[in-house]
C-alpha cells in the first residue's frame, strides 16, 4: 500500500480498467493512482477514502485503457485533408500531393498543421504517434506544445523536397535534424523516414540506415505499398522489395515498415526472422484502392504489427478507433472468417503492439505500476455504448474517437472532459482555415 501522507497527482476513481497486460481480465470499480508521471498503484476502489491528491477523475460509466499509439502518419498533411480524393496512388502522389507539398509546405504551415493533427489525435485518444515528413523540427515544436509522445522523423527522398531543394543534401539535413533534437525531450524522439525503395536510391537507403544505427534510432519506410513498387524494384534489382532491403542490410528490429501489403510467403518469413516492425494502415490502403496486407499471417509468424492512420490526405482522419474497427473487419472479409482478429487482439495492436513497434514497450502500451501514465478514459454513458457485455468489443466495434473524454500523457491531463488543456483549439482551427484559403485555389 502507498503511504497515507504522500500527495498524489491524479487519482482515477471507478470505471472498468483494461490494463492490456497479457492474461489480465477487465477490472471493475478500480482506483488508479498517478504520481510523478507514472502509474503508482492500481487497486479495487471499495469504500476506502480517496488518498490526498491534486485531482480526482471520476471514471464511473467509463472505460480506462492505455493511450492509443499511431504507428504511421504525416501529421502536417492535415493541411491537405480532402485536397485530392478518389484517385489511384501514383496520380494522387505525383500529380497532386508532391506538387502541393512543393508549393505550400513551409515551416509555418507544417507547424500549424501539426498542431491541428495533435488536437485531432488527443481528442480521439491517441497519446503517442509516429511521424515522417518535412520541416520535421516544426512538428517537434508542435508535439512538445501539445504534450504528446512521438517519434518524429525527417523525410528523405531523392527528389527536391520541401525544405531540401537539393536532394544531394537530404541526408545532411536529416543528420543535422537528429543532432539538433536528440536530447530535446523525454517524450519526443527524432528519426529518419525514407520515403520508399522507389524514391530513395540504394545509396540513400544505406546512408540513412547507417545514420539511424549510429544514433540507435528507428528508421521508417513505406514498403511494398503497391504492385508497381514490387514490379519496378524487381526490374531494377532482380529482387522483391523485402529481399532488396535485406540485401542492403536494412532489415532489423529498428526498421518500421509502413503498409507491407504485397508480400509473398518468403518475405513474411524474412520480416519475422529480422524482427522488422510493421505499421498497418488499413483505411489508407483501402482509400487508395490498394490491397489487403497479410496481417493474420504476419501475427501468426510473430511479427509485431501496430496500427497507423497514414496522412490525412489518404484517410482522411486520424481516428485510431476507426482503424481498429476496419482492421478487424478487413481481416474477416479477406479470409471469409469472422473469428479472425477479434476485438481484444486489435486493441492490443493499437496499444501494446504500437509500443513494441517503436521500442517503447517498457514505458507505455499497458497500464501497470511503474509505467508512464499514458491513459485514456472513454465515456460509455451514451446510446451506442449501452449495454456493455464485452468492453473490448464495445471499444473496437461501437466506439469512435469522439467518445474519448479524458486523456493523460506522461501523467499530465491534456484533455479534461473533452476540453484541451495544452492547446487552444479555436486558435489552431482558425489559423489552419486561414492557411487553407490559399491552397487549392
Ligand atoms: Zn505514409
Amino acid at each position: 500500500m502507498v503511504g497515507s501522507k504522500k500527495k498524489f497527482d491524479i487519482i482515477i476513481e471507478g470505471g472498468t480498467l483494461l490494463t492490456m497486460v497479457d492474461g489480465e481480465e477487465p477490472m471493475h470499480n478500480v482506483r488508479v493512482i498517478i504520481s510523478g508521471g507514472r502509474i503508482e498503484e492500481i487497486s479495487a476502489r471499495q469504500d476506502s477514502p480517496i488518498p490526498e491528491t491534486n485531482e480526482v477523475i471520476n471514471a464511473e460509466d467509463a472505460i480506462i485503457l492505455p493511450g492509443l499509439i499511431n504507428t504511421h502518419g504525416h501529421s502536417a498533411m492535415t493541411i491537405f485533408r480532402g485536397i485530392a480524393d478518389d484517385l489511384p496512388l501514383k496520380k494522387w502522389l505525383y500529380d497532386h500531393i508532391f506538387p502541393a507539398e512543393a508549393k505550400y509546405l513551409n515551416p509555418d504551415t507544417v507547424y500549424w498543421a501539426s498542431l491541428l493533427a495533435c488536437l485531432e489525435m488527443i481528442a480521439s485518444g491517441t497519446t503517442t504517434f509516429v511521424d515522417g515528413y518535412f520541416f520535421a523540427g516544426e512538428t517537434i515544436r508542435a508535439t512538445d506544445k501539445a504534450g504528446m509522445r512521438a517519434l518524429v522523423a525527417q523525410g528523405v527522398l531523392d527528389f527536391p523536397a520541401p525544405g531540401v531543394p537539393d536532394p544531394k543534401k537530404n541526408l545532411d539535413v536529416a543528420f543535422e535534424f537528429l543532432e539538433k533534437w536528440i536530447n530535446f525531450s523525454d517524450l519526443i524522439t527524432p528519426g529518419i523516414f525514407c520515403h520508399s525503395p522507389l524514391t530513395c536510391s540504394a545509396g540513400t537507403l544505406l546512408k540513412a540506415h547507417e545514420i539511424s544505427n549510429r544514433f540507435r534510432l528507428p528508421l521508417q519506410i513505406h514498403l511494398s505499398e503497391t504492385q508497381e513498387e514490387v514490379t519496378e524494384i524487381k526490374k531494377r534489382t532482380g529482387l522483391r522489395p523485402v529481399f532488396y532491403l535485406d540485401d542492403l542490410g536494412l532489415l532489423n528490429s529498428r526498421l518500421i515498415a509502413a503498409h507491407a501489403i504485397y508480400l509473398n510467403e518468403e518475405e513474411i518469413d524474412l520480416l519475422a526472422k529480422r524482427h522488422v516492425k510493421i505499421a498497418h494502415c488499413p483505411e489508407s490502403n483501402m482509400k487508395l484502392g490498394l490491397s489487403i496486407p497479410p496481417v493474420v499471417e504476419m501475427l501468426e509468424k510473430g511479427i509485431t504489427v501496430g496500427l497507423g492512420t497514414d496522412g490525412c490526405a489518404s484517410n482522411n482522419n486520424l481516428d485510431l478507433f476507426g482503424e481498429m474497427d476496419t482492421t478487424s473487419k478487413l481481416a474477416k472479409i479477406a479470409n471469409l472468417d469472422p473469428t479472425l482478429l477479434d476485438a481484444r487482439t486489435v486493441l492490443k495492436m493499437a496499444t501494446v503492439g504500437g509500443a513494441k513497434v517503436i521500442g517503447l514497450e517498457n514505458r507505455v502500451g499497458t497500464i501497470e505500476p511503474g509505467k508512464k501514465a499514458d491513459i485514456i478514459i472513454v465515456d460509455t454513458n451514451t446510446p451506442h455504448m449501452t449495454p456493455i457485455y464485452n468492453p473490448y468489443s464495445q471499444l473496437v466495434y461501437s466506439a469512435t474517437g469522439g467518445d474519448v473524454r479524458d486523456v493523460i500523457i506522461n501523467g499530465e491531463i491534456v484533455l479534461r472532459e473533452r476540453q484541451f488543456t495544452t492547446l487552444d483549439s479555436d486558435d489552431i482551427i482558425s489559423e489552419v482555415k486561414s492557411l487553407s484559403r490559399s491552397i487549392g485555389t
Side-chain angles (χ1 to χ4, degrees):
M1 283 297 289
V2 290
S4 58
K5 284 184 185 152
K6 186 170 172 183
K7 188 173 182 184
F8 300 110
D9 293 335
I10 305 166
I11 295 184
I12 303 170
E13 282 279 294
T16 296
L17 172 68
L18 307 182
T19 64
M20 301 316 291
V21 174
D22 269 343
E24 288 191 7
E25 292 306 310
M27 295 167 66
H28 302 285
N29 203 20
V30 293
R31 172 174 291 161
V32 179
I33 300 179
I34 296 164
S35 196
R38 291 181 189 278
I39 297 153
E40 180 113 0
E41 186 181 310
I42 299 165
S43 60
R45 186 182 172 200
Q46 297 168 337
D47 291 325
S48 58
I50 302 173
E52 209 181 330
T53 180
N54 289 327
E55 182 148 8
V56 176
I57 298 176
N58 182 347
E60 284 176 36
D61 290 326
I63 300 173
I64 306 154
L65 68 152
L68 305 182
I69 297 177
N70 188 344
T71 58
H72 181 70
H74 317 285
S75 297
M77 287 189 94
T78 53
I79 195 75
F80 300 130
R81 192 195 315 265
I83 200 172
D85 293 329
D86 313 314
L87 295 166
L89 187 138
K90 196 170 177 187
K91 191 172 175 55
W92 170 80
L93 189 61
Y94 285 86
D95 295 355
H96 296 272
I97 299 302
F98 281 159
E101 287 175 343
K103 196 166 172 192
Y104 300 112
L105 282 191
N106 57 51
D108 201 41
T109 49
V110 168
Y111 177 67
W112 286 102
S114 297
L115 280 175
L116 183 69
C118 289
L119 274 183
E120 190 182 347
M121 287 191 277
I122 288 172
S124 54
T126 293
T127 53
T128 299
F129 66 97
V130 178
D131 197 84
Y133 211 43
F134 307 107
F135 300 110
E138 297 302 316
T139 299
I140 289 187
R141 288 207 306 126
T143 307
D144 183 53
K145 191 173 169 64
M148 292 188 76
R149 199 180 298 281
L151 165 63
V152 179
Q154 170 67 28
V156 167
L157 76 171
D158 289 336
F159 301 120
V164 195
D166 179 1
K168 286 195 203 79
K169 300 218 166 94
N170 55 12
L171 288 159
D172 295 338
V173 171
F175 185 85
E176 284 162 21
F177 167 77
L178 294 185
E179 278 205 314
K180 179 171 179 184
W181 298 101
I182 185 92
N183 293 315
F184 171 69
S185 156
D186 276 353
L187 273 71
I188 305 168
T189 309
I192 297 182
F193 164 55
C194 286
H195 183 264
S196 83
L198 276 183
T199 51
C200 295
S201 68
T204 299
L205 293 172
L206 275 171
K207 191 84 195 295
H209 172 68
E210 193 187 303
I211 296 171
S212 299
N213 270 351
R214 194 179 324 166
F215 286 89
R216 304 186 67 75
L217 291 169
L219 178 67
Q220 299 173 54
I221 192 164
H222 290 134
L223 179 63
S224 299
E225 187 177 3
T226 62
Q227 183 58 55
E228 189 198 1
E229 176 189 332
V230 178
T231 308
E232 183 62 27
I233 293 294
K234 253 187 110 173
K235 202 163 96 187
R236 285 187 204 170
T237 68
L239 299 167
R240 291 179 62 89
V242 171
F243 281 91
Y244 166 57
L245 293 193
D246 192 49
D247 210 41
L248 294 174
L250 258 69
L251 302 190
N252 64 25
S253 61
R254 284 203 296 273
L255 186 70
I256 302 173
H259 303 287
I261 299 173
Y262 297 91
L263 304 174
N264 67 20
E265 204 65 29
E266 290 74 32
E267 286 177 296
I268 299 172
D269 286 339
L270 188 55
L271 290 170
K273 194 173 162 195
R274 301 277 189 258
H275 305 288
V276 173
K277 309 301 195 306
I278 304 297
H280 175 48
C281 307
E283 291 191 1
S284 176
N285 297 342
M286 288 163 68
K287 184 158 179 279
L288 289 167
L290 303 172
S291 192
I292 306 172
V295 175
V296 174
E297 291 83 345
M298 287 195 266
L299 290 173
E300 275 171 3
K301 292 196 168 162
I303 296 177
T304 300
V305 184
L307 301 186
T309 55
D310 211 347
C312 263
S314 63
N315 187 301
N316 293 358
N317 62 51
L318 303 176
D319 183 356
L320 279 173
F321 281 88
E323 302 296 331
M324 289 196 287
D325 188 34
T326 305
T327 294
S328 174
K329 290 172 181 168
L330 199 55
K332 295 175 194 317
I333 193 69
N335 298 281
L336 299 179
D337 181 352
T339 67
L340 296 174
L341 297 198
D342 62 85
R344 189 170 179 160
T345 301
V346 170
L347 194 62
K348 271 182 78 174
M349 292 167 78
T351 52
V352 65
K356 286 178 183 166
V357 166
I358 41 180
L360 288 183
E361 66 270 31
N362 293 327
R363 291 197 202 176
V364 297
T366 56
I367 298 181
E368 48 190 322
K371 278 212 170 170
K372 296 283 187 182
D374 286 13
I375 294 173
I376 63 173
I377 297 173
V378 175
D379 184 8
T380 58
N381 203 19
T382 54
H384 66 281
M385 296 293 276
T386 305
I388 300 180
Y389 301 110
N390 177 333
Y392 302 102
S393 293
Q394 208 74 351
L395 291 171
V396 171
Y397 302 129
S398 291
T400 72
D403 295 314
V404 174
R405 194 192 71 188
D406 306 285
V407 176
I408 300 168
I409 303 176
N410 209 40
E412 301 289 334
I413 298 175
V414 296
L415 189 77
R416 181 189 285 114
E417 297 280 346
R418 296 199 174 89
Q419 300 297 312
F420 299 98
T421 66
T422 52
L423 299 175
D424 182 337
S425 60
D426 290 346
D427 186 37
I428 294 164
I429 289 170
S430 143
E431 191 66 38
V432 174
K433 276 184 183 169
S434 158
L435 287 167
S436 73
R437 281 186 204 110
S438 62
I439 295 177
T441 55

